[in-house]
Amino acid sequence: MVVYKQASTESDLRQILALQQRNLPKNLSQEEIKQEGFLTVEHDFELLKKMNDKCAHTIATIDDKVIAYLLSMHPKFAEEIAVLKPMFAEITKVVSKSERYIIMGQVCVAKSHRGQGIFRGLYTHMQQFLQPTYTKIITEVDVKNSRSMQAHKAMGFVELKRYEADGKEWSLIILG
């Protein structure tokens, strides 16, 4: 049975990192990247823990094994990851300073559990956990990652804007 909860242990965080490693482009074939999607950011344990301490990450587990995650990234971490700095700059252009939002820093579902509603379950649990502190979830998707683009659209995300950074086209999207 799938259990949705917030990451709370070092083991949870280490399992997130292990799942992340299996889904980085450097560890995938071109065919897997095209069909299954891919992750852009590689975190280290220290930053992942700091982010979790500020706003706990959402995980899906089966028998205490992490099979999927959504990373919560408070705006205070805007300067921590170079590839995300342009996203934060774009957010300031289109989102009111009074808006109470959190960044969904990355989503990943283990290949063995895709297509089973876990993506939706993660976001549903995250929204419930965040209320009433945060009313919106913002993220960006590499436009070439068609699997992620489709999944976020199906979840109800709407595009705020598209922009280019680091030679890629990004879709800045919001839910809530």
Side-chain angles (χ1 to χ4, degrees):
M1 181 174 117
V2 178
V3 174
Y4 298 96
K5 62 183 182 176
Q6 302 324 116
S8 61
T9 68
E10 182 175 321
S11 175
D12 291 341
L13 299 177
R14 297 231 179 258
Q15 289 182 67
I16 288 170
L17 291 173
L19 182 54
Q20 181 181 78
Q21 281 298 312
R22 292 191 298 273
N23 290 279
L24 291 168
K26 68 182 182 181
N27 297 318
L28 298 170
S29 70
Q30 287 303 310
E31 188 63 24
E32 287 173 307
I33 289 170
K34 184 178 175 183
Q35 290 190 0
E36 299 291 331
F38 56 91
L39 301 177
T40 300
V41 178
E42 183 174 1
H43 296 80
D44 62 33
F45 181 82
E46 182 181 323
L47 179 58
L48 192 69
K49 184 174 183 332
K50 283 182 192 174
M51 290 166 51
N52 195 68
D53 289 347
K54 180 67 179 167
C55 183
H57 307 306
T58 303
I59 58 176
T61 64
I62 296 177
D63 297 327
D64 292 322
K65 302 286 187 255
V66 175
I67 59 158
Y69 64 81
L70 285 174
L71 301 185
S72 296
M73 185 176 213
H74 189 277
K76 83 175 220 161
F77 293 100
E79 297 296 314
E80 297 289 326
I81 300 173
V83 73
L84 297 182
K85 288 180 183 181
M87 175 187 68
F88 283 101
E90 295 299 326
I91 288 170
T92 64
K93 296 175 187 176
V94 295
V95 177
S96 166
K97 289 183 184 202
S98 65
E99 194 71 66
R100 296 184 333 244
Y101 68 89
I102 194 80
I103 302 299
M104 190 293 294
Q106 188 174 73
V107 58
C108 185
V109 178
K111 196 172 185 178
S112 58
H113 291 84
R114 293 180 185 158
Q116 300 174 28
I118 292 171
F119 181 90
R120 181 170 294 281
L122 283 167
Y123 268 115
T124 299
H125 183 84
M126 183 185 198
Q127 285 180 297
Q128 292 167 351
F129 171 73
L130 294 174
Q131 294 289 339
T133 306
Y134 304 102
T135 58
K136 308 275 190 217
I137 300 170
I138 299 174
T139 194
E140 69 178 359
V141 178
D142 183 329
V143 173
K144 287 184 179 177
N145 192 341
S146 58
R147 184 179 183 108
S148 185
M149 289 289 291
Q150 291 168 359
H152 282 90
K153 184 177 180 181
M155 187 65 213
F157 276 86
V158 295
E159 189 171 84
L160 291 170
K161 74 177 297 185
R162 285 196 181 194
Y163 67 97
E164 289 191 23
D166 299 320
K168 296 180 181 181
E169 184 179 11
W170 297 96
S171 175
L172 186 64
I173 56 179
I174 191 166
L175 178 68

